[in-house]
């Protein structure tokens, strides 16, 4: 076994690999970019090497720097995690040439599966069922268009080198094909440096079911059953589970054996995932093979009781697989939810910022949290905005669902927008709870999943008000302690006012709505009036940002996290956000992000879609911005005229930068 390995990755997966290595007595070397100098994976590793600037192509993607780091630290093997260089065959080869072990498959297997088109050709030969479509070498646009017409719409155009749900376009009708092809190729070039595409029949109401396979260097190959990853947004997985609900034993075996055949056809070694698209009747087709450890591998670990990273390390060291097929079995049910910094209500727009508060649910045999960040850390625009993976296990699917609901309710994050509320609705929605799964579930359930904004509940407003009052008291006490005269009436915060009635208004903004709380100070409580109704309140500040609050005859425990004028209120398993509105500092509404013609985040302009001087309708696409590896279309906010573009295609823009000079028609 190795005594020291280097992990060529960051975030939760680097931390996850370090955990197993440490348990096995293997020393670890982390690598990091300038943006990650203080990251959790750097803190956890035994030593760490700086690679370069924040941009991945200048740090985590530079094979030479990683090899150099291995030499400097004496690391004998490299775990690539997922993403970055994990499916880069030149990297695997370069390591081998330097006498360093790649903890992954042979370069030849990565190459064989690297292109979705080439993989399909090989799988066809190995008699693995294929999604119907065109995966030829001829890439003439007219020919591709004809092939699509022949396959019959809807079709999916896929970048052969694609991954992570990027580089895919659904085409509903022949007339839309040329534009979709151009846009797919543009994204493919910028994300993967290769615009070769394939076309597939778009399967309606499909399930995404994938098989975890494992092979060693001695010719053994097993499958560790399936994961159902049907719950997706923009072809990216959101919730994953194992086993797949409703999977008959016989089909599990068929899919498992097809996956093993796929792996054997390319001389596979190590952990791999064979992804199938399955119709509702169970018919399944090969989609692609991911030649690495998958993001969602923990659900497999939870139901099999195995540590897949340990298996990877053993196999890479030349040992046999720890178990044979007949020794593997499924126990219970596991679910994984990907906790992201993103705004589900704004098209899952990635968010960035500091994790002012980050309090995940407590871990146990039922709850596991894989994360790369801690409270105080930052989610930067440079990398994937995943905060953590929340994994739960129980004997049954219903038990696991209940655990997930509770764990999401207990998850506290403040400082940036997350998808936690969205995930809570997702696991509660009848379609998911009832295992009525297909990749269109989120779209189908959108009324349930994206309800119109509700006013903040009265309790949360009252708690927020009490929070302000308690903070003032606390601050006054601190001020009194540090000033010369602790008994001065000027430090009192009990509502005593010279020549003033002891009533005041504390105001909040709930979205666009201004909400006033009238506070009257009484001898041992406050009388708080909101919306014409009065509640008697008391409160006590506990440690940190926790408060004990009494509202009439009820007692509650809540947390209120304040960042500037933002207040995140954690109360009884839900989170609401208010803005403290100070009438003295009220700014007028014309803020620079409102127009929709500013960059919602730092990024690169990839295409200008209108001409200066052009008159456009409301909603006309004007410009495409690529940010955080996704394309965002900036559209006309109203009917009007495009005066000028502020940037040319290819230029970098800062967060909030004005992109288009636009004149409204009226
Ligand atoms: P699949 O390849 O089937 O989509 P994964 O969900 O494991 O499976 O993710 C694929 C790869 O894409 C991973 O390497 C992951 O790092 C990367 N990835 C996933 N989501 C994003 C994203 N939003 N932005 C950038 N990279 C992503
Ligand atoms: P990636 O490399 O980005 O993971 P995949 O080929 O694995 O690309 O496809 C990602 C997702 O897109 C699948 O999980 C599925 O939801 C959807 N998808 C892919 N191919 C098809 C298809 N032929 N019909 C319908 N949906 C598909
Ligand atoms: Mg995939």
């Amino acid at each position: 076994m190795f005594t020291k390995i280097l992990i060529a990755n960051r975030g939760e997966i680097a931390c996850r690999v370090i955990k197993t290595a440490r348990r096995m007595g293997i020393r670890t070397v982390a690598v990091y970019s300038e943006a990650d100098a203080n990251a959790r994976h750097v803190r956890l590793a035994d030593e760490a090497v700086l690679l370069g600037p924040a941009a991945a192509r200048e740090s985590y993607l530079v094979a030479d720097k990683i090899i150099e780091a291995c030499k400097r630290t004496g690391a004998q093997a490299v775990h690539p995690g997922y993403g970055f260089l994990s499916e880069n065959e030149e990297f695997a080869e370069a390591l081998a040439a330097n006498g360093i072990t790649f903890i992954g498959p042979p370069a030849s297997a990565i190459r064989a599966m690297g292109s979705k088109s080439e993989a399909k050709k090989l799988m066809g030969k190995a008699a693995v069922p294929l999604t119907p479509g065109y995966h030829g070498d001829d890439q003439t646009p007219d020919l591709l268009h004809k092939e699509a017409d022949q396959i019959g719409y809807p079709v999916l155009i896929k970048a052969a080198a694609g991954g992570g749900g990027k580089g895919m376009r659904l085409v509903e009708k022949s007339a839309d094909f040329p534009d979709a092809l151009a846009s797919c190729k543009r994204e493919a070039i910028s994300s993967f440096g290769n615009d070769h595409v394939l076309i597939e029949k778009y399967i309606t109401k499909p399930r995404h079911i994938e098989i975890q396979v494992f092979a060693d260097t001695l010719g053994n190959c097993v499958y560790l059953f399936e994961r159902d990853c049907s719950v997706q947004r923009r072809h990216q997985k959101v919730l994953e589970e194992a086993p797949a609900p409703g999977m008959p034993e016989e089909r599990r075996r068929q899919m498992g054996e097809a996956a093993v055949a796929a792996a054997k056809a390319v001389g596979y070694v190590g952990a791999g995932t064979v992804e199938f698209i399955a119709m509702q009747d169970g018919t399944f087709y090969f989609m692609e093979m991911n030649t690495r450890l998958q993001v969602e591998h923990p659900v497999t670990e939870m139901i099999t009781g195995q540590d897949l990273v340990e298996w990877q390390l053993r196999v890479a060291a030349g040992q046999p697989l720890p178990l044979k097929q007949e020794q593997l079995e499924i126990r219970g049910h596991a679910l994984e939810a990907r906790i992201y910094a993103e705004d589900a209500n704004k098209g899952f727009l990635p968010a960035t910022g500091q994790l002012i508060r980050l309090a995940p649910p407590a871990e146990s045999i039922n709850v596991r949290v894989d994360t790369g960040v801690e409270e105080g850390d930052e989610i930067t625009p440079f990398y994937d905005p995943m905060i953590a993976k929340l994994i739960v296990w129980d004997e049954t699917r219903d038990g696991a669902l209940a655990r997930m609901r509770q764990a999401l309710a207990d998850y506290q994050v403040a400082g940036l927008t997350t998808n936690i509320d969205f995930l809570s609705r997702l696991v509660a929605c009848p379609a998911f709870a009832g295992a009525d799964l297909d990749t269109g579930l989120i779209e189908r359930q959108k009324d349930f999943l994206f309800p119109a904004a509700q006013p903040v509940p009265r309790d949360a407003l009252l708690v927020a008000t009490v929070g302000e009052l308690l903070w003032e008291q606390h601050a006054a006490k601190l001020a009194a302690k540090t000033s010369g005269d602790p008994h001065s009436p000027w430090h009192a915060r009990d509502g005593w006012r010279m020549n003033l009635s002891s009533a005041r208004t504390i105001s909040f903004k709930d979205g666009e709505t201004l909400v006033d709380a009238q506070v009257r100070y009484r001898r041992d409580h406050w009388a708080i009036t909101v919306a014409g109704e009065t509640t008697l309140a008391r409160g006590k500040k506990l440690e940190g940002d926790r408060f004990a609050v009494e509202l009439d005859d009820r007692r509650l425990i809540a947390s209120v996290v304040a960042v500037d004028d933002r207040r995140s209120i954690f109360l009884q398993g839900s989170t609401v956000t208010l803005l403290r509105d100070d009438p003295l500092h009220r700014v007028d509404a014309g803020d620079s992000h409102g127009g929709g013609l500013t960059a919602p985040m730092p990024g690169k302009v990839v295409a200008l879609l209108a001409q200066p001087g052009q008159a456009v309708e409301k909603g006309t696409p004007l410009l495409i911005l690529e940010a955080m590896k996704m394309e965002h279309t900036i559209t006309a906010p109203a009917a009007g005229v495009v005066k000028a573009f502020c940037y040319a295609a290819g230029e970098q823009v800062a967060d909030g930068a004005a992109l288009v000079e636009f004149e409204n028609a009226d």
Side-chain angles (χ1 to χ4, degrees):
M1 185 46 70
F2 315 109
T3 54
K4 192 190 253 192
I5 63 169
L6 180 144
I7 299 122
N9 214 301
R10 64 178 302 284
E12 66 88 15
I13 193 61
C15 299
R16 195 255 155 277
V17 173
I18 291 170
K19 197 165 154 195
T20 292
R22 169 147 310 154
R23 186 172 55 70
M24 294 172 71
I26 300 169
R27 297 183 64 76
T28 54
V29 181
V31 290
Y32 63 98
S33 71
E34 283 162 12
D36 278 341
N38 264 314
R40 181 166 186 261
H41 74 281
V42 174
R43 302 196 289 261
L44 288 184
D46 294 306
E47 54 193 303
V49 179
L50 173 67
L51 293 177
R57 61 180 183 286
E58 295 179 64
S59 50
Y60 296 107
L61 287 172
V62 187
D64 290 346
K65 291 189 181 177
I66 290 166
I67 291 168
E68 187 54 41
C70 289
K71 289 184 177 159
R72 261 174 60 196
T73 56
Q76 302 132 345
V78 171
H79 194 301
Y82 53 73
F84 295 136
L85 293 169
S86 62
E87 294 177 277
N88 183 314
E89 71 256 27
E90 280 111 42
F91 178 58
E93 272 164 355
L95 287 175
N98 283 278
I100 303 160
T101 304
F102 178 65
I103 304 172
S108 56
I110 302 178
R111 184 170 302 121
M113 290 296 185
S115 155
K116 291 188 207 280
S117 329
E118 296 308 308
K120 283 181 84 171
K121 288 180 200 158
L122 275 173
M123 293 301 105
K125 284 190 201 131
V128 178
L130 300 182
T131 318
Y134 172 79
H135 47 263
D137 295 328
D138 191 337
Q139 294 283 301
T140 323
D142 281 345
L143 175 107
L144 293 172
H145 196 164
K146 278 206 198 81
E147 289 288 344
D149 288 347
Q150 210 150 62
I151 295 163
Y153 295 87
V155 300
L156 202 55
I157 310 176
K158 284 186 184 179
K166 292 186 289 290
M168 260 192 281
R169 291 294 180 279
L170 171 61
V171 190
E172 309 266 9
K173 53 182 197 296
S174 187
D176 298 344
F177 189 88
D179 283 354
L181 180 65
S183 143
C184 182
K185 282 181 175 280
R186 195 167 53 232
E187 187 171 305
I189 275 284
S190 89
S191 300
F192 314 109
N194 174 342
D195 68 357
H196 195 99
V197 299
L198 63 156
I199 301 170
E200 283 183 1
K201 172 90 195 147
Y202 186 74
I203 312 285
T204 43
K205 278 202 101 192
R207 279 169 72 174
H208 173 120
I209 297 180
E210 58 184 35
I211 306 286
Q212 175 73 55
V213 294
F214 237 105
D216 63 20
T217 50
L218 311 168
N220 304 302
C221 184
V222 301
Y223 59 92
L224 289 95
F225 316 110
E226 76 281 2
R227 293 183 286 258
D228 191 316
C229 315
S230 300
V231 184
Q232 305 182 344
R233 53 116 171 87
R234 282 208 214 96
H235 307 301
Q236 290 178 0
K237 299 159 183 167
V238 176
L239 279 178
E240 299 102 344
E241 61 186 302
M247 173 73 87
E249 215 33 71
E250 176 56 19
R251 188 165 324 116
R252 171 171 293 134
R253 196 181 51 77
Q254 282 170 7
M255 293 182 85
E257 286 173 359
V260 167
K264 284 189 167 160
V266 295
Y268 203 78
V269 175
T273 295
V274 181
E275 297 189 330
F276 295 101
I277 192 116
M279 307 216 280
Q280 292 292 328
D281 70 3
T283 315
F284 60 90
Y285 302 114
F286 172 86
M287 252 190 321
E288 64 161 344
M289 180 168 184
N290 293 327
T291 53
R292 55 172 160 84
L293 192 67
Q294 200 96 329
V295 176
E296 58 275 18
H297 75 278
V299 290
T300 300
E301 298 187 320
M302 299 293 264
I303 61 156
T304 57
Q306 303 302 311
D307 178 334
L308 297 191
V309 173
E310 176 178 344
W311 281 46
Q312 285 189 297
L313 292 168
R314 292 197 181 285
V315 165
Q319 298 179 13
L321 292 178
L323 295 177
K324 303 207 177 324
Q325 190 66 55
E326 55 279 11
Q327 295 173 299
L328 283 160
E329 53 185 25
I330 298 179
R331 206 181 139 234
H333 200 97
L335 296 171
E336 175 183 281
R338 301 189 186 192
I339 313 282
Y340 271 95
E342 67 182 13
D343 190 343
N345 294 321
K346 289 194 185 144
F348 299 100
L349 191 68
T352 55
Q354 200 187 5
L355 293 155
I356 304 286
R357 181 182 185 90
L358 179 61
E363 294 198 66
S364 66
I365 57 157
N366 297 100
V367 178
R368 164 172 166 184
V369 180
D370 281 18
T371 188
V373 286
E374 284 166 15
E375 191 164 281
D377 286 351
E378 205 152 329
I379 301 291
T380 67
F382 304 111
Y383 316 108
D384 189 278
M386 187 159 78
I387 298 170
K389 303 185 308 205
L390 172 61
I391 307 110
V392 297
W393 179 92
D394 209 322
E395 298 287 345
T396 63
R397 187 173 191 269
D398 283 345
L401 264 171
R403 301 252 178 217
M404 181 59 91
R405 276 197 289 271
Q406 186 59 45
L408 286 168
D410 291 344
Y411 219 118
Q412 299 190 346
V413 184
L416 43 70
T417 310
T418 74
N419 64 343
I420 293 175
D421 282 352
F422 170 74
L423 291 170
S424 298
R425 288 193 293 275
L426 197 50
V427 294
C429 94
F432 184 72
D436 177 14
L437 303 174
D438 71 84
T439 59
L441 186 141
I442 290 179
E443 187 55 28
R444 196 152 45 80
Q445 299 288 316
K446 59 173 185 280
D447 292 346
F448 186 94
L449 296 174
F450 306 98
Q454 296 294 313
V456 165
R458 180 178 175 86
D459 277 1
L461 270 168
L462 292 167
V463 164
T465 307
V466 172
E468 298 302 301
L469 295 164
L470 291 173
W471 267 113
E472 285 177 9
Q473 275 184 0
H474 183 70
K477 266 188 213 142
L478 288 184
K481 260 192 214 147
T482 50
S483 83
D485 176 9
H487 301 295
S488 158
W490 300 108
H491 298 310
R493 275 293 177 274
D494 54 6
W496 179 85
R497 297 276 194 289
M498 216 188 329
N499 300 327
L500 277 178
S501 82
S502 54
R504 60 189 280 219
T505 301
I506 294 180
S507 304
F508 296 98
K509 268 174 90 177
D510 173 10
E512 293 305 302
T513 316
L514 196 64
V515 191
D516 288 340
Q518 293 279 347
V519 181
R520 271 162 299 142
Y521 292 77
R522 303 269 178 78
R523 201 165 53 80
D524 63 346
H525 64 266
W526 299 287
I528 304 177
T529 308
V530 177
E533 216 181 294
T534 301
T535 300
L536 305 185
R538 283 193 186 83
K540 184 169 182 297
K541 190 180 163 313
L542 307 174
E543 81 292 349
D545 45 38
R546 289 186 354 121
F547 300 101
V549 179
E550 261 181 72
L551 301 177
D552 292 327
D553 53 359
R554 291 177 304 137
R555 287 160 182 257
L556 311 168
I557 298 285
S559 287
V560 182
V561 177
V563 186
D564 302 328
D565 53 356
R566 226 179 137 93
R567 303 287 180 270
S568 302
I569 299 120
F570 300 97
L571 178 65
Q572 290 166 333
S574 69
T575 308
V576 301
T577 306
L578 291 168
L579 293 180
R580 172 77 195 264
D581 185 82
D582 185 344
L584 297 178
H585 296 109
R586 209 165 276 166
V587 281
D588 75 77
D591 87 296
S592 63
H593 289 261
L597 294 176
T598 54
M601 63 185 76
K604 190 171 89 180
V605 175
V606 291
L608 305 179
L609 304 177
Q611 299 297 324
Q614 189 180 331
V616 294
E617 290 304 307
K618 177 177 177 170
T620 306
L622 301 180
L623 172 154
I624 296 178
L625 183 72
E626 189 196 277
M628 304 192 77
K629 300 186 183 164
M630 282 198 290
E631 285 193 354
H632 303 278
T633 304
I634 307 291
T635 60
V641 176
V642 178
K643 291 301 218 190
F645 287 102
C646 310
Y647 295 90
E651 284 190 277
Q652 270 321 117
V653 298
D655 187 9
L659 299 171
V660 185
E661 274 180 44
F662 189 80
E663 192 175 272
N664 280 13
D666 33 39

